[in-house]
């Protein structure tokens, strides 16, 4: 077994174990941290495939930005995950058995000589000056331009959907309308009322009453 | 890439639609709440514009563009015309319903048009990647539409279920696609078909991927054993959104099936025919038998959808031009029937009252005999009673199966349609022979009354004179798929 193969198996084992813990961990913060670990191992697998740019963007975007945000949300919301997962352990034996059978069957098919995985030659190493970033850019903006544009439409749709689902104008909101504030005139705020001077009899009358 | 060779003409309808959606998003921001009906008018105008551009960009032969990621052919053209019409009818039917339930917001219209855009992309995709992105566009818009009434617990629950199961189905589909990519070295449907036909592909990997592809596709179609989400989502979603889920996406899913299995994996027919046969038999049996026990009409129609998808697969799995065109005809007729049925349910709902139970239809004939007649036509058509379109559609798929030598399957389909007739007739019985429990007047906007009447009468028209549409489907299939 070469060094690369050994690293591949180690990273894959960590990835699978971490992914399993994501769904079984009792504490949501632990689950999120295990997800970070699985992203990290996946990034390692990409480095083995010589796709450094994808590996780094996985770490920067998912681990650095998305997961940190996600952790904040998990910590701020008081989610009772045990209540959400009622019945998880009850169904786990059956679901686990089916999953193991399926995984075993898939391993038998893909591991058999008929699958012919041996006929796929190992990829030749890339040249030292090969640029991942350049190649990705060229592919994305020429050959796969249509798919890239469509992916941007998916993002736009996600924004519209998220706003439609979360934004609501609250009746009790005390937010001030800046436009109204700027447009205000002194005459609207202060009203000068002219009143005739009257004797202060009423006040005295009010003070007298308790004594009476 | 040479920009001068980029041919945008075939994709013009999609570009127009996307541009119009972006304009609508900005317009929505600028108009006041009480003038929201401007959005309704503009959405209908957009759909009319799309149909006009589609007519102008019509092509009798397949034309590929965007590096073979997008294809415009008669199959996609005809289906897209129907998609525009169906979406317009959905907007007309649901206007009053959403206005009564505080859903009359700009997002309802933009999300519906986004869903249409996703379906258009799916229908015209000739590359696994665009197929998948189109599917995700459609699904994302539908998840959001279901959950649009945030304060309704059943709606949010339905949205959650659809989201989780939809993500699982997408995962299966992507895994299958990656296996096919591994076996053939390409994601382009025409190249995949060529590699498989030449025998250079790795057969074990191909069949392995095919299993996942079929599972993912059946999930999206809602066929047994991947049907669990259908009844819950149909019942939980607001009826306006159920109408959308139950209509246009089925047309897109049919083309999705044709592109992946019919065009890409045509050489593996002997493999997927058997898988789809099991799915079709189970769908027809479970859909029809479970529907008998339902008291909720939306749930009953959900099980009826499952059985109709089984019938559609009976036509499709023959793998010949006759079978594909009969399945296409079935999909179109099914969408018309589903729209008419949900249209009547929407007409009977009003502010503060949801028409959900079969009992809510009791005595409809006394209350309003015209809507009772429209529902009668729809139910008879779904049951496959001549001379309605549903009869001819069932006849066409069963004949295609029998001609392909699948006589036991054809006999089974006939038996199942007999069982199905029971619960459709039960709705008719409730409408005509039971006394009305609720005698409030049925008030329907004039535009909806006209479109709904035309929709239900089209079922009669297509049943009496099916030739035009059948010939159209046949020529579309023959001109679009190179193997025929």
């Amino acid at each position: 077994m070469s060094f690369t193969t050994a690293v591949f198996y180690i990273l894959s084992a960590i990835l699978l174990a971490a992914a399993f813990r994501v769904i079984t961990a009792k504490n949501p913060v632990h689950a999120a941290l295990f997800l970070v670990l699985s992203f990290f191992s996946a990034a390692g697998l990409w480095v083995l495939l010589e796709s450094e740019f994808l590996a780094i963007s996985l770490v920067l975007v998912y681990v650095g930005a998305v997961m940190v945000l996600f952790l904040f949300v998990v910590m701020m919301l008081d989610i009772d995950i045990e209540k959400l997962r009622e019945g998880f352990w009850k169904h786990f034996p059956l679901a686990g058995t089916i999953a193991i059978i399926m995984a075993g069957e898939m391993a038998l098919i893909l591991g058999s000589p008929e699958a012919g995985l041996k006929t796929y030659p190992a990829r030749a190493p890339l040249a030292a000056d090969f640029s991942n970033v350049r190649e990705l850019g060229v592919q994305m903006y020429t050959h796969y331009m249509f798919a890239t544009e469509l992916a941007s439409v998916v993002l736009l749709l996600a924004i519209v959907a998220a706003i439609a689902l979360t934004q609501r104008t609250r009746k009790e909101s005390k937010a001030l309308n800046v436009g109204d504030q700027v447009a205000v005139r002194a005459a609207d705020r202060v009203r000068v009322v002219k009143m005739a001077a009257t004797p202060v009899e009423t006040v005295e009358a009010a003070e007298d009453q308790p004594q009476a | 890439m040479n920009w001068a060779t980029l041919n945008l003409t075939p994709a013009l309808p999609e570009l127009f639609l996307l541009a119009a959606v972006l304009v609508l998003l900005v317009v929505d921001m600028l108009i006041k709440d009480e003038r929201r009906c401007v959005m309704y008018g503009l959405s209908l105008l957009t759909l009319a514009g799309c149909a006009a551009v589609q007519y102008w960009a019509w092509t009798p032969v397949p034309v590929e563009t965007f590096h073979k990621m997008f294809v415009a052919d008669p199959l996609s053209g005809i289906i897209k015309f129907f998609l525009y019409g169906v979406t317009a009818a959905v907007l007309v039917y649901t206007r009053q319903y959403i206005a009564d339930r505080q859903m009359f917001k700009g997002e309802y219209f933009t999300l519906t048009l986004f869903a249409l855009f996703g379906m258009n992309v799916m229908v015209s995709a000739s590359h696994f990647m665009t197929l998948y992105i189109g599917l995700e566009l459609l699904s994302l818009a539908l998840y959001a539409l279901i959950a649009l009434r945030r304060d309704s617990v059943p709606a949010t629950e339905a949205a959650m279920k659809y989201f989780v199961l939809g993500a699982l189905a997408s995962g299966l589909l992507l895994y299958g696609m990656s296996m096919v990519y591994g076996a053939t070295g390409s994601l382009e449907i025409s190249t995949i078909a060529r590699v498989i036909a030449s025998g250079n592909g790795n057969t074990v990997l191909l069949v392995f991927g095919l299993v996942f592809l079929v599972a993912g596709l059946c999930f999206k179609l809602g066929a047994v054993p991947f049907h669990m989400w259908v009844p819950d989502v149909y019942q939980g979603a607001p009826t306006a959104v159920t109408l959308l889920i139950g209509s246009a996406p089925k047309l897109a899913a049919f083309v999705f099936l044709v592109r992946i299995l019919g065009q890409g994996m045509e050489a593996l027919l002997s493999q997927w025919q058997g898988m789809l046969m099991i799915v079709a038999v189970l769908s027809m049996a479970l859909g029809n038998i479970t529907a008998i026990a339902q008291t909720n009409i939306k749930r009953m129609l959900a099980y009826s959808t499952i059985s109709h998808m089984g019938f559609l697969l009976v036509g499709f799995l023959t793998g010949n031009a006759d079978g594909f065109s009969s399945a296409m005809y079935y999909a179109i007729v099914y969408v018309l029937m589903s729209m008419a049925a949900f249209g009547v349910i929407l007409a009977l709902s009003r502010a503060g009252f949801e028409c959900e139970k079969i009992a809510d239809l009791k005595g409809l004939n006394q209350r309003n005999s015209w809507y009772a007649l429209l529902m009668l036509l729809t139910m008879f058509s779904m049951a496959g009673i001549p001379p309605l379109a549903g009869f001819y559609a069932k006849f066409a798929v069963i004949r295609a199966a029998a001609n392909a030598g699948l006589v036991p399957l054809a006999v089974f389909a006939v038996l199942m349609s007999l069982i199905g007739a029971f619960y459709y007739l039960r709705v008719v019985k409730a409408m005509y022979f039971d006394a009305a429990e609720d005698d409030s007047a049925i008030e329907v906007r004039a535009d909806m009354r006209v479109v709904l009447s035309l929709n239900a009468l089209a079922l009669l028209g297509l049943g009496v004179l099916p030739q035009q549409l059948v010939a159209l489907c046949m020529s579309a299939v023959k001109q679009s798929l190179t193997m025929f």
Side-chain angles (χ1 to χ4, degrees), chain B residues 30 112 149 152 182 196 251 329 355 367 386 394 399-401 447 463:
Chain B
L30 297 176
T112 307
R149 266 182 98 188
S152 151
I196 298 177
L251 285 174
Y329 182 79
C355 174
R367 290 170 67 195
K394 281 202 168 73
R399 187 183 55 185
D447 49 356

Side-chain angles (χ1 to χ4, degrees), chain A residues 83-106:
Chain A
K83 204 176 151 222
L84 287 178
R85 273 210 317 233
E86 265 175 351
F88 178 83
W89 290 110
K90 199 178 86 195
H91 298 295
F92 186 77
L94 179 66
T97 321
I98 294 176
I100 288 170
I101 294 175
M102 269 184 72
E105 285 174 346
M106 281 161 65

Side-chain angles (χ1 to χ4, degrees), chain B residues 157-288:
Chain B
E157 192 188 315
M160 198 65 208
K161 256 181 199 155
Y162 194 27
F163 179 70
V164 172
L165 290 178
L168 182 68
S170 296
L172 289 176
L173 207 59
L174 281 179
Y175 191 63
M177 284 176 179
S178 70
M179 284 294 152
V180 173
Y181 178 64
T184 61
S186 177
L187 286 170
E188 237 169 65
I189 288 174
S190 53
T191 315
I192 291 171
R194 208 172 49 240
V195 172
I196 298 177
S198 70
N200 288 335
N202 183 330
T203 320
V204 174
L205 273 190
L206 268 176
V207 178
F208 184 73
L210 180 66
V211 174
F212 286 92
L213 281 179
V214 169
L217 286 170
C218 289
F219 225 109
K220 294 294 176 191
L221 274 178
V224 181
F226 308 100
H227 66 288
M228 302 300 181
W229 60 274
V230 183
D232 291 342
V233 171
Y234 270 48
Q235 189 182 358
T239 314
V241 183
T242 313
L243 169 68
L244 180 64
I245 298 173
S247 54
K250 304 292 176 196
L251 285 174
F254 165 72
V255 184
F256 202 68
L257 204 62
V258 170
R259 297 266 185 237
I260 293 189
L261 295 184
Q263 280 188 299
M265 307 253 170
E266 199 249 342
L268 294 177
L269 172 68
S270 56
Q271 308 280 350
W272 53 259
Q273 192 175 43
M275 300 181 202
L276 287 186
M277 211 181 291
I278 298 171
V279 171
V281 165
L282 287 176
S283 299
M284 287 187 290
L286 189 132
N288 278 320

Side-chain angles (χ1 to χ4, degrees), chain B residues 69 71 73 75-76 79 83 118-139 166 169-174 176-177 189 210 212-222 248-266 272 276 309 312-313 316 324 327-328 331 481:
Chain B
M69 291 190 118
V71 65
D73 53 14
L75 175 69
S76 64
I79 292 286
L83 287 179
M119 288 188 270
N120 261 4
V121 170
M122 272 165 82
V123 164
S124 266
S126 57
H127 193 279
F128 275 179
M129 202 182 288
T130 37
L131 271 175
Y132 174 71
I133 299 180
L135 180 68
E136 282 305 291
L137 260 172
L138 166 67
S139 310
S170 296
L172 289 176
L173 207 59
L174 281 179
M177 284 176 179
I189 288 174
L210 180 66
F212 286 92
L213 281 179
V214 169
L217 286 170
C218 289
F219 225 109
K220 294 294 176 191
L221 274 178
K250 304 292 176 196
L251 285 174
F254 165 72
V255 184
F256 202 68
L257 204 62
V258 170
R259 297 266 185 237
I260 293 189
L261 295 184
Q263 280 188 299
M265 307 253 170
E266 199 249 342
W272 53 259
L276 287 186
M309 289 304 119
L312 190 150
L313 287 176
F316 179 80
F324 282 8
M328 182 175 169
L481 308 183

Side-chain angles (χ1 to χ4, degrees), chain A residues 102 105-107 109-110 112 114-117 119-120 141-151 153-158 160-169, chain B residues 1 3 6 18 22 25 66-67 69-70 105 107 110-111 114 117 121 127 129-130 133 136-137 140-141 144 147-148 150-151 175 179 182-183 188 202 204-205 208 212:
Chain A
M102 269 184 72
E105 285 174 346
M106 281 161 65
I109 294 175
L110 294 178
S112 72
E114 278 80 32
L117 290 179
T119 59
Y120 288 90
Y141 293 105
T142 59
H143 197 117
Y144 291 97
M145 182 189 74
F146 186 52
T148 310
E149 295 296 329
L150 283 178
V153 178
V154 173
L155 285 181
L156 175 66
L157 168 62
V160 173
I163 292 175
L165 290 182
T166 51
Q167 188 236 20
R168 58 170 99 203
T169 43
Chain B
M1 186 165 93
W3 290 97
L6 183 65
L18 184 60
L22 297 182
L25 276 173
F66 288 121
H67 285 271
M69 291 190 118
F70 183 97
K105 291 187 283 189
E107 286 86 4
T110 41
L111 285 175
F114 266 123
F117 181 70
V121 170
H127 193 279
M129 202 182 288
T130 37
I133 299 180
E136 282 305 291
L137 260 172
L140 258 175
L148 208 53
R150 283 163 306 182
D151 302 326
Y175 191 63
M179 284 294 152
E188 237 169 65
N202 183 330
V204 174
L205 273 190
F208 184 73
F212 286 92

